[in-house]
Amino acid sequence: DQQVKQNSPSLSVQEGRISILNCDYTNSMFDYFLWYKKYPAEGPTFLISISSIKDKNEDGRFTVFLNKSAKHLSLHIVPSQPGDSAVYFCAAKYGGGSQGNLIFGKGTKLSVKP
Amino acid sequence: DTAVSQTPKYLVTQMGNDKSIKCEQNLGHDTMYWYKQDSKKFLKIMFSYNNKELIINETVPNRFSPKSPDKAHLNLHINSLELGDSAVYFCASSLLGAIYNEQFFGPGTRLTVL
């Protein structure tokens, strides 16, 4: 039972264009959502997060949008750069305050072509 | 300086053997985790320790036994290894009080059971 779904296993984008990575979730009790980026042979690294009470959070080229009614969030990268090529994981946190569990999606592999 | 380190990076072993994976963090965090990334690429939490005490134990066979000698270390011991244990195992850490439970991951240990 996947509570966090990333339905696109891969995405290919031209350098300079916008990359949009999507994530859907089923549990309305999630209170925070996080995006992680993972390069091959490395562990995931935190990228950006959003609280469930917000609908947008921006950090430089990265913006996360949250649509609670649709239980959907997306990560926008503008402009995309070749160094952004990686696997992006969507994660959701529920319960337990700061000790809450993180539930991860399967990831989307982004390829940014020069 | 490596924030979260794991050893070994690669581990190849025969079925039925017992093996350990070590994890250390130098971030001053008080909570540590073990995740398993299987062939389907899901990152699933296995265990979580806060101040050396077990706080999360997902449905994991009791052949897996975590040991936390101190806050900076969380080792994973696996008895009687099976083919299905082949996966990448990630250690992570976080700080109690971090609102969205941002976790810092190690580089992973790729375990192959033959």
Side-chain angles (χ1 to χ4, degrees):
Chain A
D1 179 26
Q2 291 177 243
Q3 296 189 64
V4 178
K5 301 178 187 178
Q6 293 176 260
N7 292 319
S8 298
S10 62
L11 175 68
S12 185
V13 170
Q14 206 66 33
E15 181 179 6
R17 296 295 195 87
I18 183 171
S19 296
I20 300 177
L21 298 114
N22 294 304
C23 179
D24 297 295
Y25 62 96
T26 57
N27 191 338
S28 58
M29 298 302 291
F30 289 141
D31 57 356
Y32 279 92
F33 302 90
L34 300 84
W35 284 94
Y36 278 80
K37 176 179 178 179
K38 184 184 179 304
Y39 292 117
E42 293 183 14
T45 54
F46 171 75
L47 192 58
I48 191 170
S49 67
I50 188 167
S51 163
S52 60
I53 63 173
K54 301 278 179 73
D55 55 18
K56 177 182 175 182
N57 187 26
E58 191 172 352
D59 183 2
R61 296 185 297 114
F62 302 91
T63 303
V64 57
F65 295 93
L66 174 63
N67 183 333
K68 281 189 72 175
S69 59
K71 293 193 176 70
H72 176 85
L73 65 154
S74 60
L75 175 67
H76 293 213
I77 307 173
V78 181
S80 302
Q81 299 173 356
D84 297 328
S85 297
V87 177
Y88 289 79
F89 288 96
C90 173
K93 185 180 89 66
Y94 73 92
S98 59
Q99 292 184 18
N101 252 358
L102 289 185
I103 308 295
F104 284 84
K106 286 177 69 172
T108 297
K109 184 176 181 179
L110 174 65
S111 299
V112 180
K113 299 186 176 177
Chain B
D1 284 344
T2 304
V4 183
S5 59
Q6 295 179 228
T7 53
K9 193 164 176 65
Y10 300 95
L11 184 54
V12 181
T13 188
Q14 300 285 335
M15 267 196 333
N17 284 350
D18 303 338
K19 290 293 178 185
S20 292
I21 307 172
K22 295 186 177 181
C23 177
E24 178 181 2
Q25 55 92 5
N26 62 7
L27 297 166
H29 289 168
D30 53 11
T31 306
M32 297 185 72
Y33 313 80
W34 276 108
Y35 285 85
K36 178 181 180 181
Q37 186 180 31
D38 58 22
S39 57
K40 295 181 181 177
K41 304 300 182 187
F42 280 108
L43 259 173
K44 290 183 181 177
I45 188 152
M46 301 173 67
F47 301 100
S48 169
Y49 270 71
N50 175 254
N51 283 319
K52 304 192 298 174
E53 290 191 14
L54 182 66
I55 57 172
I56 294 172
N57 182 352
E58 293 297 315
T59 309
V60 176
N62 57 16
R63 298 181 294 104
F64 290 79
S65 53
K67 293 280 192 304
S68 182
D70 55 57
K71 287 196 309 183
H73 296 84
L74 182 62
N75 304 322
L76 185 64
H77 188 76
I78 316 170
N79 290 326
S80 304
L81 278 155
E82 301 178 355
L83 293 176
D85 297 333
S86 295
V88 181
Y89 292 83
F90 289 98
C91 177
S93 71
S94 69
L95 188 62
L96 187 67
I99 297 172
Y100 46 81
N101 196 17
E102 176 191 347
Q103 296 177 16
F104 293 76
F105 283 80
T109 296
R110 182 174 292 276
L111 171 65
T112 303
V113 182
L114 303 175

